[in-house]
Amino acid sequence: MEMLKAKIRDIPDFPQPGIVFKDITPLLGDAKAFGVAIEMLKQRYGGQHVDYVVGVEARGLVIGAALANALGTGFIMVRKPGKLPAETLQATYQLEYGSDSLEIHLDAMAPGSQVVIVDDVLATGGTMTAVTELVATLKADVIEVAFLIELSFLDGRSQLQNHSLYSLIQY
């Protein structure tokens, strides 16, 4: 775990003053570290029936696509408004520094699909709460929500009490 933590850097005052951004781009750029992170997630879900990995814009798309490939499952993108070409569902949520919206294709998955939702960082939980609401609207079942990093001091886990939650690294 220390190898992974060593590949994450703090960027102060990004995206706005007072926020310390956990930058995972050095981890993604290191083939060994990125491979270890994906392998750890694969081991967690490899013995379960997973129909889809759902990845959240933006860095969650990178992690989610790699995990879906490793698991041999489908991959579904949750993106910012206007980025998906077909008919979508939308959810709006609060960030630690504002608000935003996300969308998923209306036909992304069949009811009863078994999904793992992946994002890079759990902060306040607003983003993932919105994604779980989108998935619930499509009547799919969330096996677990997973994160590369959990910022425990922001208590985002409390917003997701109705879901099993896993994070590789906690701060």
Side-chain angles (χ1 to χ4, degrees):
M1 211 54 68
E2 289 307 312
M3 178 198 45
L4 297 180
K5 278 187 170 184
K7 295 294 180 178
I8 298 167
R9 64 181 166 200
D10 288 346
I11 307 293
D13 298 320
F14 184 84
Q16 69 181 38
I19 303 293
V20 178
F21 185 80
K22 295 292 186 189
D23 181 15
I24 66 165
T25 58
L27 186 146
L28 297 176
D30 182 306
K32 183 176 180 185
F34 187 40
V36 166
I38 296 303
E39 182 61 29
M40 291 174 75
L41 291 168
K42 178 186 174 190
Q43 287 178 11
R44 183 161 181 90
Y45 304 112
Q48 300 179 52
H49 174 78
V50 178
D51 294 308
Y52 300 103
V53 173
V54 177
V56 183
E57 179 139 349
R59 292 162 303 277
L61 297 176
V62 175
I63 298 164
L67 178 59
N69 184 62
L71 291 172
T73 68
F75 176 67
I76 295 172
M77 295 184 290
V78 173
R79 304 221 42 209
K80 294 188 185 266
K83 300 290 184 181
L84 294 172
E87 189 175 358
T88 60
L89 295 171
Q90 186 177 90
T92 299
Y93 61 98
Q94 296 301 307
L95 295 164
E96 57 272 27
Y97 48 84
S99 67
D100 212 342
S101 296
L102 291 170
E103 294 182 337
I104 192 170
H105 275 139
L106 191 58
D107 62 354
M109 61 190 82
S113 294
Q114 301 295 302
V115 304
V116 173
I117 307 173
V118 179
D119 204 359
D120 62 331
V121 176
L122 173 59
T124 63
T127 302
M128 190 56 73
T129 297
V131 176
T132 61
E133 289 169 3
L134 289 170
V135 169
T137 300
L138 295 177
K139 298 185 178 4
D141 299 319
V142 177
I143 296 168
E144 194 162 62
V145 295
F147 303 90
L148 187 61
I149 299 168
E150 180 177 357
L151 303 177
S152 302
F153 60 92
L154 292 175
D155 196 30
R157 185 176 284 265
S158 69
Q159 300 298 313
L160 297 160
Q161 291 179 1
N162 293 333
H163 298 284
S164 178
L165 188 150
Y166 177 71
S167 57
L168 285 177
I169 300 166
Q170 299 80 36
Y171 289 99

